[in-house]
Amino acid sequence: MELLDPRVDFVFKRIFASENNKDVLLAFLNRIFMDAGDLPLEEVVLLNPYTDKDDPLDKQAIFDIWAKSVDGKLINIEMQLFNKYDIEKRTLYYWSKRYAGQLQVSGKYMDLKKCVTINILNYKVLPNEHPHSVFHLREDVSGAPLSDDIEIHFLELPKLNQPAIPGERGLVNWLLFLNGTHYSDWEVLQMNEPDLKKAMETLEFLSQDSEARRKYEDRQKFLLDEASQRDGAQREGFAKGLEEGRAAGMEEGKAAGIAAGRAEGELEAKLEIAKNLLAMGMDSVSVQQATGLTEEELKSINN
């Protein structure tokens, strides 16, 4: 049986954001937070659970996962199969919308709750080799936090450079599962992380369900087409920029050639005048002053 790719956001949301799989999401989130040195959550509430109305071809469909902890902390999880670029600015923009959106309810700054963004990327973006990077808002020298309300996680799947290791518990097992670790290694992952069993069973069920596979293939094609159009636009922009650069270079070269020819013509005219003045018996200093030639240029006549 060919398994569906859990990195496709449609499948990812089916596994982690179905009402029946809240325990799977809680286990996964706790591994993320504990890997960052935080305490585990006691419970999590799904704010946009997966429903059969989520159309894989709908551009407005939201396949991010929005959740909330019992203490009100807002959590946003996004799976990105392809590089959409500017992920840093996009992350801050969407984080700010979630954070500021809370004021529409209470209108009081003191009621703003912490917002956590978790980006799971199928590509590398940060200049390090750590699969899990966490960012906060802190003072440069002392490291003192300005506010704990912002927390951003990057989970970069291509940076996983290890196989499934028996007895090794932790976040790495979940990331290996998402990264498409071979079916033969599932037993090791499941022994390391028993909570992974339900995620694996959900993926197996979806892989055998004809309707789920159809939606998966539709979504996969949509994402591939979107990535292809984006890359095509970038290549077209690069080619246009290169052509414009060449044209500008040719114009600059032409102008430079004209300027150089004009300067050369003016020099030849001055040299001819200087030659005549010298032939008439004028001294070199006077000729130099009259023509504006340098001493070296005047000597070239005699040579």
Side-chain angles (χ1 to χ4, degrees), residues 256-295:
I258 293 173
R262 184 181 295 117
E264 185 177 350
E266 290 176 354
L267 177 60
E268 290 179 355
K270 289 180 179 180
L271 290 172
E272 186 64 28
I273 293 172
K275 188 185 297 183
N276 293 333
L277 292 176
L278 288 171
M280 293 168 59
M282 186 178 289
D283 62 275
S284 298
V285 175
S286 299
V287 171
Q288 190 176 339
Q289 291 175 346
T291 59
L293 292 171
T294 66
E295 187 177 351

Side-chain angles (χ1 to χ4, degrees), residues 267 271 293-303:
L267 177 60
L271 290 172
L293 292 171
T294 66
E295 187 177 351
E296 291 297 323
E297 289 170 340
L298 197 60
K299 287 182 178 178
S300 67
I301 296 176
N302 297 328
N303 293 335

Side-chain angles (χ1 to χ4, degrees), residues 30-64:
N30 280 338
R31 278 306 182 194
I32 293 174
F33 292 137
M34 292 169 68
D35 190 70
D38 293 334
L39 295 174
L41 304 176
E42 295 179 3
E43 188 180 344
V44 66
V45 178
L46 280 168
L47 300 179
N48 67 334
Y50 174 83
T51 68
D52 291 331
K53 294 181 180 179
D54 290 334
D55 185 355
L57 301 182
D58 184 3
K59 291 185 177 181
Q60 304 302 317
I62 299 174
F63 288 97
D64 295 4

